[in-house]
Amino acid sequence: MTSTLHHACAKINLGLNVLGKRPDGYHDLESIFLEVDLCDDVLITAASTVTLECHPSVTGSVQDNLAFKAALLLQNALSAPDKGAKIVLTKRIPTGGGLGGGSSDAAAVLKGLYELWTHQPASTPEALAILHPLAAQLGSDVPFFLTGGVAYVTGRGTEISPLPVSVPWTVLLVLPDIHIATSTAYSTLGITQRVDNQGLDRLLRQVLENNGDGIHQFKNDFESTIFAQHPLLSTISRKLTDNGAIYAAMSGSGSTMYGLFTSVENAVAARSAFPNHVTYICRPIVPHVP
Ligand code: C5P
């Protein structure tokens, strides 16, 4: 029986501006999402019913796994209750750290099952028109992973403008043992005012043209409140820059911290400053330009 293997990669946020609270309770934001090559494996095999195995398990029950919910949602959307698949997830992306691992798995399942069940590619505008609303229903970070690469992300996180740029830096991820619920991170901000977007897409192009100059204009609005609760995070940020990072920040609502380095060697050298933390060295994925 033929199986297809999909790589579901993590993301980091370069800049995250929370612009205001929306009538639906979510927040409008703007951010640059960078897909990086730290990936889970999603193996999909045709079967008579939908099943999911996750190694190691990350949810109490399989039914709670976003990837399983994605499969059922697509089955329903395609009116295909008779279609099945055996899905095996091999997790490498740490969960609950602002790296989007669960969202990426869910997007990979949507794309993989769409191709298995319709025999059509999942990357066409017609396929994305079906998959995007399902992804947005699963979670604010899921739509980005349908196209991945580098994107300017707005709305509640579901409006995606892919950017055909290549980000040249090596990424060192540092994972403190701190877990922050996204909903708590947003409510702690206590947003009452609306602010304009900063044009992070324009800023990224300028920064890339100027070899990194101006990168410090990217800010993550969650940092001030979350760093106040967890001072270890600002210590990690400082340590990253003290050890050669051209830029250090938190990804999403945390708690993963990352540094950007001009070479793999510099990232490897900096890694030794974090002997008590889980660390990963990875690279931004070069976007597919259609
Ligand atoms: O969309 P997702 O399920 O990932 O969001 C989790 C929670 O984070 C939401 O219930 C909401 O409280 C908060 N959130 C938000 N604004 C966003 C994204 C998430 O307030 N743009």
Side-chain angles (χ1 to χ4, degrees), residues 9 11 26 29 33 35 66 70 73 100-111 122-123 127-162:
C9 300
K11 60 86 178 160
Y26 284 84
L29 56 88
F33 278 44
E35 195 182 9
L66 205 59
L73 199 61
S103 300
S104 187
D105 296 343
V109 164
L110 286 179
K111 288 187 286 184
S123 54
L128 291 173
I130 294 170
L131 297 178
H132 185 281
L134 305 179
Q137 201 178 321
L138 289 163
S140 305
D141 283 351
V142 182
F144 162 73
F145 291 106
L146 292 174
T147 41
V150 182
Y152 179 54
V153 174
T154 55
R156 75 169 164 96
T158 60
E159 285 162 40
I160 314 298
S161 306

Side-chain angles (χ1 to χ4, degrees), residues 46-269:
S48 53
T49 55
V50 172
T51 58
L52 182 123
E53 279 172 32
C54 185
H55 306 286
S57 163
V58 290
T59 52
S61 88
V62 159
Q63 282 74 17
D64 291 334
N65 194 306
L66 205 59
F68 188 75
K69 293 181 186 175
L72 297 192
L73 199 61
L74 183 67
Q75 203 188 36
N76 193 38
L78 296 178
S79 304
D82 53 323
K83 305 273 191 200
K86 178 181 176 191
I87 306 162
V88 180
L89 293 184
T90 305
K91 295 291 299 175
R92 284 190 208 91
I93 306 169
T95 52
L99 294 171
S103 300
S104 187
D105 296 343
V109 164
L110 286 179
K111 288 187 286 184
L113 292 187
Y114 182 87
E115 295 193 341
L116 177 69
W117 290 343
T118 68
H119 306 288
Q120 300 292 322
S123 54
T124 61
E126 297 74 32
L128 291 173
I130 294 170
L131 297 178
H132 185 281
L134 305 179
Q137 201 178 321
L138 289 163
S140 305
D141 283 351
V142 182
F144 162 73
F145 291 106
L146 292 174
T147 41
V150 182
Y152 179 54
V153 174
T154 55
R156 75 169 164 96
T158 60
E159 285 162 40
I160 314 298
S161 306
L163 300 174
V165 297
S166 162
V167 172
W169 301 299
T170 301
V171 182
L172 172 62
L173 302 174
V174 180
L175 284 109
D177 194 14
I178 294 171
H179 297 277
I180 298 157
T182 309
S183 53
T184 314
Y186 273 102
S187 58
T188 311
L189 286 177
I191 300 283
T192 52
Q193 310 267 3
R194 273 206 87 78
V195 292
D196 288 337
N197 75 50
Q198 198 188 337
L200 294 184
D201 49 347
R202 236 178 314 116
L203 179 61
L204 179 65
R205 285 179 203 281
Q206 277 167 18
V207 165
L208 290 173
E209 275 164 23
N210 294 303
N211 287 322
D213 279 359
I215 197 165
H216 295 278
Q217 290 175 66
F218 286 102
K219 305 274 181 214
N220 180 336
D221 281 348
F222 288 110
E223 284 189 0
S224 54
T225 49
I226 290 180
F227 283 13
Q229 291 162 2
H230 302 285
L232 171 65
L233 301 182
S234 52
T235 307
I236 292 172
S237 180
R238 212 171 322 110
K239 228 168 159 183
L240 281 163
T241 42
D242 286 351
N243 283 277
I246 59 157
Y247 178 76
M250 189 171 74
S251 185
S253 59
S255 66
T256 300
M257 299 296 300
Y258 70 86
L260 301 181
F261 293 83
T262 52
S263 71
V264 179
E265 291 74 18
N266 289 354
V268 169

